[in-house]
């Protein structure tokens, strides 16, 4: 619902100014940033993954079993260069701010410089001029009248259930979302058991792999015996052919 309504706003804006199509954030990339950090190598990424994992218990203590229902309503901007959907300010956004502060502290205790000095302002960016250097030369400011009709528009609610550690530099996922180093999940979605279909599929794969291994071992033994008895190239070729069939089965 939220992404659909944001796309409608993006379409309305680009109809008025086609140049801004380059400034639009792909719906799959939509997110609320909790904090930003600079991780210069794999070791630092590993420390950050640990910090994220550690923060789970602290965040759940803050939540005390309650859900955080984020309500997305209205549009605002930063310096007329970034357009974003606002979060309605209420008790839930207060908890979100506490979560951000707690996580910032945990990351900093691990030696990771995380977060900025300015106050945490949760927002959902849907367009920004910095997405295109070519566009920045053409458009210096985004005219707020382009989204005037949606200034107080209600976009929808979303329950907080997952926090991701994302890379801004690594290649994005096929759905447009950022490469994810690690995640923590809250509430019911975390305790979800694998369904029956998943378990059946896994069992089948394990059995198939065991059978293939046994067949391969049998073929190798047969091949060795054949070589020892008569060295017939025909037999060796058959064995190779069987191995190929088995390999094809493995690929399928």
């Amino acid at each position: 619902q939220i992404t659909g309504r944001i796309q409608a706003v993006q379409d309305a804006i680009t109809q008025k100014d086609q140049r801004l199509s380059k400034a639009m954030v792909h719906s799959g990339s939509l997110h609320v940033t909790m904090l930003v950090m600079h991780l210069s190598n794999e070791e630092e990424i590993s420390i950050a993954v640990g910090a994220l994992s550690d923060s789970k218990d602290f965040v759940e203590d803050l939540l005390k079993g309650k859900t955080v229902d984020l309500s997305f309503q209205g549009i605002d901007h930063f310096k007329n260069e970034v357009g974003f959907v606002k979060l309605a300010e209420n008790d839930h956004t207060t908890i979100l701010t506490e979560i951000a502060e707690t996580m910032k502290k945990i990351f900093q205790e691990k030696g990771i410089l995380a977060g900025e000095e300015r106050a945490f302002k949760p927002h959902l960016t849907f367009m920004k001029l910095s997405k295109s250097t070519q566009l920045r030369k053409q458009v210096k400011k985004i005219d707020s009248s382009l989204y005037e009709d949606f200034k107080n528009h209600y976009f929808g609610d979303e329950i907080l259930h997952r926090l991701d550690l994302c890379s801004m530099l690594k290649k994005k996922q096929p759905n447009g979302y950022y490469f994810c180093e690690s995640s923590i999940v809250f509430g019911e979605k975390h305790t979800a058991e694998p369904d029956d279909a998943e378990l059946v599929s896994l069992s089948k794969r394990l059995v198939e792999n065991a059978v293939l291994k046994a067949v391969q071992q049998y073929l190798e033994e047969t091949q060795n015996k054949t070589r020892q008895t008569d060295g017939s190239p025909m037999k060796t070729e058959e064995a190779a052919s069987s191995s190929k069939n088995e390999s094809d089965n493995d690929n399928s």
Side-chain angles (χ1 to χ4, degrees):
Q1 186 187 48
I2 297 167
T3 55
R5 289 176 179 177
I6 285 175
Q7 282 173 312
V9 173
Q10 290 174 325
D11 291 343
I13 292 169
T14 51
Q15 276 172 16
K16 292 174 186 173
D17 189 341
Q18 186 57 41
R19 297 174 303 173
L20 290 174
S21 60
K22 290 176 184 168
M24 297 304 168
V25 174
H26 185 279
S27 61
S29 300
L30 293 171
H31 65 280
V32 174
T33 301
M34 298 294 280
L35 60 150
V36 178
M37 68 207 76
H38 177 69
L39 306 173
S40 55
N41 53 49
E42 288 300 320
E43 189 185 348
E44 287 184 4
I45 291 172
S46 179
I47 294 167
V49 167
L52 180 67
S53 179
D54 290 351
S55 65
K56 187 179 188 318
D57 289 340
F58 288 95
V59 173
E60 286 186 332
D61 283 346
L62 273 174
L63 295 176
K64 295 182 177 69
K66 295 176 195 165
T67 56
V68 178
D69 187 358
L70 304 172
S71 187
F72 293 86
Q73 183 160 7
I75 291 178
D76 205 349
H77 64 86
F78 293 129
K79 299 179 182 176
N80 286 106
E81 294 173 4
V82 174
F84 62 87
V85 172
K86 296 191 290 184
L87 271 79
E89 288 188 28
N90 52 34
D91 293 347
H92 295 274
T93 41
T94 303
I95 295 172
L96 191 70
T97 303
E98 285 178 27
I99 292 171
E101 289 302 318
T102 301
M103 295 185 78
K104 181 177 171 180
K105 202 172 162 188
I106 292 166
F107 276 79
Q108 286 176 343
E109 281 170 0
K110 293 265 189 180
I112 292 169
L113 191 64
E116 296 165 346
E117 290 312 306
R118 62 171 179 257
F120 172 65
K121 186 176 181 178
H123 59 279
L124 189 58
T125 300
F126 68 88
M127 68 173 168
K128 50 184 176 182
L129 293 178
S130 61
K131 274 185 71 68
S132 167
T133 47
Q134 189 185 350
L135 179 66
R136 293 217 68 152
K137 291 171 189 171
Q138 299 171 344
V139 182
K140 298 296 176 195
K141 301 279 180 190
I142 298 167
D143 186 352
S144 59
S145 68
L146 293 171
Y147 50 84
E148 190 64 42
D149 297 344
F150 302 96
K151 207 88 168 133
N152 301 306
H153 190 67
Y154 170 71
F155 289 87
D157 279 25
E158 169 78 356
I159 302 244
L160 171 71
H161 77 273
R162 196 180 84 231
L163 291 170
D164 301 324
L165 179 67
C166 298
S167 169
M168 287 192 248
L169 302 177
K170 290 181 182 176
K171 189 180 177 184
K172 286 187 176 181
Q173 297 178 40
N175 65 357
Y177 193 60
Y178 297 89
F179 178 90
C180 209
E181 299 286 355
S182 180
S183 302
I184 52 173
V185 183
F186 311 106
E188 292 171 12
K189 297 197 180 184
H190 178 59
T191 56
E193 299 277 331
D195 61 22
D196 291 345
E198 268 185 78
L199 291 171
V200 169
S201 172
L202 179 63
S203 301
K204 276 184 178 176
R205 284 203 303 275
L206 290 171
V207 171
E208 282 168 3
N209 287 342
V211 170
L212 285 169
K213 202 168 181 182
V215 169
Q216 190 174 12
Q217 195 175 347
Y218 170 76
L219 285 166
E220 283 172 1
E221 286 172 3
T222 309
Q223 202 173 344
N224 289 338
K225 279 179 188 172
T226 306
R227 281 190 188 128
Q228 284 166 12
T229 51
D230 64 0
S232 163
M234 226 10 225
K235 301 265 186 186
T236 311
E237 210 168 299
E238 276 172 18
S241 172
S242 300
S243 294
K244 183 183 180 302
N245 290 339
E246 175 216 319
S247 168
D248 289 343
N249 288 338
D250 201 22
N251 288 339
S252 66

